[in-house]
């Protein structure tokens, strides 16, 4: 259970690190703002047209006695929107990271340099277009996995009691895992850790991953919060990646209130 607290601690340390590096913070907000506008438009469309889509997809309920058609379709509409919201939370990070790849890559390197004993950071040595290709390809693979989990949880949501209690908890744990993977991928990909190896690494310490990603996923449900937390989340995920790989981290660099040498 200790890893739960450690993971949550990395989330807080990442936000604290970002607060001490204010020059980069403003630029880090731009990718999240762009993604937020796109997702808000998509969820608005789903909210406005979701009921009509459910009615079109369930013509067999037309002959049911009142009030069962309305209740049934209302439930399906609510579940559909909840599924869309879950996918938005899971994919928000991937899309934001893809849009802000150059910045977040630089941010992750700066965190590594700041907390490493020798002031160095691993570098991929790949051109930007290659990094974008790998990031986009891996994000698509994660999206497919998340969508499969979403469909499974969507189906289980119809089970009495379990669908209203256990399933939401599992949903948040799944969301936290995939959020952490996407965020930690910035640092791990730079170290040459492929997607399959990343997933294996994260599964080896699920409590650490859940302690970091699940609270973040819950916070991302609050409108606009994801935009402001994303830069610090990338910083915290870099610290988490160092822990997963057993890399030594200079604790004094995280506690110092002053700007790092790269900010002055």
């Amino acid at each position: 259970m200790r890893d739960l607290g450690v993971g949550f601690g990395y989330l807080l340390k990442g936000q604290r690190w970002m607060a001490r590096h204010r020059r980069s913070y403003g630029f880090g907000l731009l990718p999240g703002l762009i993604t937020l506008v796109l997702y808000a438009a998509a969820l608005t469309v789903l909210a406005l047209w979701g009921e009509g889509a459910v009615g079109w997809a369930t013509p067999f309920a037309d002959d049911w006695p009142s009030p069962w058609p309305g209740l049934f379709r209302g439930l399906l509409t609510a579940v559909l929107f909840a599924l869309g919201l879950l996918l938005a939370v899971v994919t928000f990070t991937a899309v934001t990271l893809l849009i802000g790849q150059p910045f977040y890559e630089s941010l992750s390197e700066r965190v590594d340099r700041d907390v490493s004993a020798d002031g160095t950071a691993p570098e991929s040595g790949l051109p930007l277009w290659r990094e974008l290709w790998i990031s986009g390809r891996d994000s698509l693979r994660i999206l497919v996995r998340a969508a499969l989990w979403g469909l499974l949880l969507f189906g289980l949501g119809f089970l009495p009691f379990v669908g209203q209690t256990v399933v939401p908890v599992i949903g948040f744990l799944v969301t936290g895992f995939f959020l952490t993977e996407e965020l930690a991928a910035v640092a791990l990909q730079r170290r040459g850790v492929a997607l399959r190896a990343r997933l294996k690494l994260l599964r080896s310490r699920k409590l650490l991953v859940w302690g970091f990603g699940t609270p973040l996923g819950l916070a991302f449900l609050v409108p606009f919060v994801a935009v402001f937390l994303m830069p610090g989340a990338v910083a915290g995920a870099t610290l988490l990646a160092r822990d997963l790989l057993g890399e030594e981290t200079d604790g004094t660099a995280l506690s110092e209130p002053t700007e790092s040498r790269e900010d002055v």
Side-chain angles (χ1 to χ4, degrees):
M1 296 298 290
R2 175 180 174 274
D3 267 355
L4 279 175
V6 174
F8 185 67
Y10 285 136
L11 180 60
L12 297 180
K13 289 176 182 177
Q15 300 302 325
R16 190 160 58 240
W17 190 95
M18 199 68 246
R20 299 200 332 264
H21 297 76
R22 293 180 295 275
R23 295 184 182 183
S24 300
Y25 186 64
F27 293 102
L29 295 178
L30 293 178
L33 286 172
I34 295 172
T35 309
L36 179 65
V37 171
L38 294 175
Y39 274 59
L43 288 174
T44 300
V45 170
L46 184 60
L48 293 175
W49 300 97
E51 185 176 358
V54 169
W56 172 82
T58 57
F60 54 85
D62 291 339
D63 298 329
W64 292 1
S66 180
W68 299 115
L71 292 175
F72 176 69
R73 286 169 175 163
L75 175 62
L76 285 184
T77 301
V79 172
L80 178 63
F81 186 81
L83 177 61
L85 189 61
L86 173 63
L87 290 177
V89 172
V90 172
T91 60
F92 181 90
T93 303
V95 175
T96 303
L97 289 174
L98 190 60
I99 293 174
Q101 175 71 22
F103 168 81
Y104 293 133
E105 185 74 21
S106 175
L107 169 61
S108 179
E109 286 186 22
R110 291 182 58 203
V111 173
D112 271 324
R113 291 193 182 97
D114 199 36
V115 302
S116 63
D118 57 3
T120 62
E123 298 181 3
S124 66
L126 299 175
L128 178 59
W129 71 267
R130 179 65 177 170
E131 291 181 350
L132 288 173
W133 164 254
I134 295 174
S135 178
R137 181 196 63 191
D138 290 350
S139 294
L140 182 60
R141 292 175 177 175
I142 290 297
L143 176 59
V144 171
R145 286 176 168 85
L148 292 175
W149 270 102
L151 290 174
L152 175 61
L153 294 174
F154 176 79
L156 293 177
F158 291 101
L159 295 177
F161 183 72
V162 174
Q164 294 75 46
T165 55
V166 178
V167 171
V169 174
I170 296 175
F172 282 119
L173 293 177
V174 170
T175 299
F177 181 89
F178 286 124
L179 273 177
T180 305
E181 194 287 326
E182 289 288 349
L183 290 164
V186 178
L188 294 174
Q189 181 180 312
R190 184 159 37 83
R191 290 164 166 80
V193 182
L195 176 59
R196 183 171 297 181
R198 292 201 302 266
L199 291 173
K200 182 178 180 180
L201 192 63
L202 292 169
R203 292 190 189 106
S204 68
R205 296 183 66 183
K206 291 188 181 73
L207 290 178
L208 178 71
V209 172
W210 288 335
F212 180 89
T214 303
L216 186 62
L218 289 169
F220 276 15
L221 292 176
V222 181
F224 308 113
V225 166
V227 176
F228 298 102
L229 294 185
M230 269 298 294
V234 173
T238 301
L239 300 174
L240 183 142
R242 295 179 64 89
D243 189 338
L244 287 172
L245 295 174
E247 298 178 4
E248 184 178 354
T249 296
D250 183 5
T252 60
L254 297 173
S255 59
E256 291 175 356
T258 56
E259 298 283 322
S260 73
R261 57 180 173 271
E262 294 186 22
D263 283 326
V264 296

